[in-house]
């Protein structure tokens, strides 16, 4: 028989959910059930905490101690970019249907996202983090100040566009 777990120990669980929606309790049960928590209640708490991120797939960090959960949203660069685009809700669209994110965001939005992502970035300096966010704009498919992200990255590498260090 496995040893009993210490209830005072902090357990950390990362879950990927669709923001603002109560997920399937059956998918949460194997993760939170052994810790003595109700998967349905945890799902409702996650839906409440992710209300700002409606219809976006985001990662949620659950910290569990003494059967109390603390929920923290850990957004990815792509979800921050999509949120900055201020697109309408996906209500009514088919689940498998690919959404085109062809909006336009400003360089100010890029800098604010880079400040948020700086701690989790693999770059050694702030300008590298900004380049990572611009690279994420390539995969999302949006433009930055009217230019495609690839063109903007080429201009940054050639020196036509200067990035200021806002750390």
């Amino acid at each position: 028989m496995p040893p009993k777990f210490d209830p005072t120990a902090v357990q950390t669980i990362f879950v990927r959910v669709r923001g603002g929606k109560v997920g399937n309790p059956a998918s949460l049960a194997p993760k939170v059930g052994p810790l003595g928590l109700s998967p349905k209640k945890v799902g409702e708490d996650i839906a409440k905490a992710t209300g700002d991120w409606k219809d976006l797939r985001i990662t949620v960090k659950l910290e569990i101690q003494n059967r109390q959960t603390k929920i923290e949203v850990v957004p990815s660069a792509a979800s921050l970019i999509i949120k900055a685009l201020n697109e309408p809700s996906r209500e009514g669209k088919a689940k498998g249907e690919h959404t085109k994110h062809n909006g336009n965001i400003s360089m100010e939005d890029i800098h604010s996202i880079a400040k948020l992502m700086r701690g989790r970035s693999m770059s050694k300096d702030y300008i590298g983090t900004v380049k990572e966010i611009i690279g994420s704009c390539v995969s999302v498919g949006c433009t930055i100040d009217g230019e495609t992200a690839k063109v903007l990255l080429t201009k940054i590498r050639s020196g036509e566009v200067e990035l200021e260090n806002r750390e």
Side-chain angles (χ1 to χ4, degrees), residues 84-106:
L85 287 170
N86 293 328
E87 292 183 335
S89 176
R90 284 183 42 121
E91 291 293 322
K93 290 191 179 169
K95 187 173 182 178
E97 185 180 319
H98 181 69
T99 309
K100 291 261 189 259
H101 303 287
N102 53 5
N104 187 35
I105 60 175
S106 67

Side-chain angles (χ1 to χ4, degrees), residues 16 53 57-59 74-81 113 117 120:
R16 190 121 164 104
W53 301 87
R57 298 245 324 142
I58 52 166
T59 305
V74 186
S76 64
S79 56
L80 287 166
I81 291 166
I113 292 169
M117 294 295 294
R120 290 184 283 150

Side-chain angles (χ1 to χ4, degrees), residues 4-166:
K4 286 202 153 236
F5 77 97
D6 182 17
T8 58
V10 178
Q11 300 278 333
T12 305
I13 300 171
F14 287 93
V15 184
R16 190 121 164 104
V17 296
R18 190 167 294 281
K21 293 196 173 151
V22 179
N24 184 4
S27 63
L28 284 172
K31 296 173 183 83
V32 298
L35 302 173
L37 295 168
S38 162
K40 185 176 179 188
K41 184 184 174 304
V42 171
E44 289 168 355
D45 291 345
I46 290 172
K48 233 181 279 172
T50 59
D52 296 346
W53 301 87
K54 205 157 187 71
D55 294 329
L56 290 175
R57 298 245 324 142
I58 52 166
T59 305
V60 175
K61 179 181 178 184
L62 301 172
E63 285 186 354
I64 301 163
Q65 184 177 23
N66 294 333
R67 295 184 61 194
Q68 297 293 316
T69 55
K70 202 165 72 177
I71 299 170
E72 182 184 332
V73 176
V74 186
S76 64
S79 56
L80 287 166
I81 291 166
I82 293 169
K83 189 175 181 186
L85 287 170
N86 293 328
E87 292 183 335
S89 176
R90 284 183 42 121
E91 291 293 322
K93 290 191 179 169
K95 187 173 182 178
E97 185 180 319
H98 181 69
T99 309
K100 291 261 189 259
H101 303 287
N102 53 5
N104 187 35
I105 60 175
S106 67
M107 202 61 192
E108 282 302 313
D109 292 334
I110 298 288
H111 282 289
S112 63
I113 292 169
K115 281 181 185 173
L116 286 171
M117 294 295 294
R118 183 68 189 117
R120 290 184 283 150
S121 170
M122 292 299 193
S123 177
K124 63 181 179 182
D125 59 353
Y126 176 78
I127 291 170
T129 306
V130 172
K131 287 181 182 179
E132 283 181 5
I133 303 303
I134 293 171
S136 296
C137 287
V138 173
S139 61
V140 168
C142 64
T143 57
I144 303 154
D145 290 333
E147 292 183 329
T148 64
K150 284 187 177 183
V151 169
L152 187 63
L153 277 173
T154 313
K155 286 184 178 180
I156 291 169
R157 286 190 195 111
S158 68
E160 287 178 54
V161 175
E162 283 288 318
L163 291 176
E164 68 240 32
N165 195 345
R166 296 188 184 182

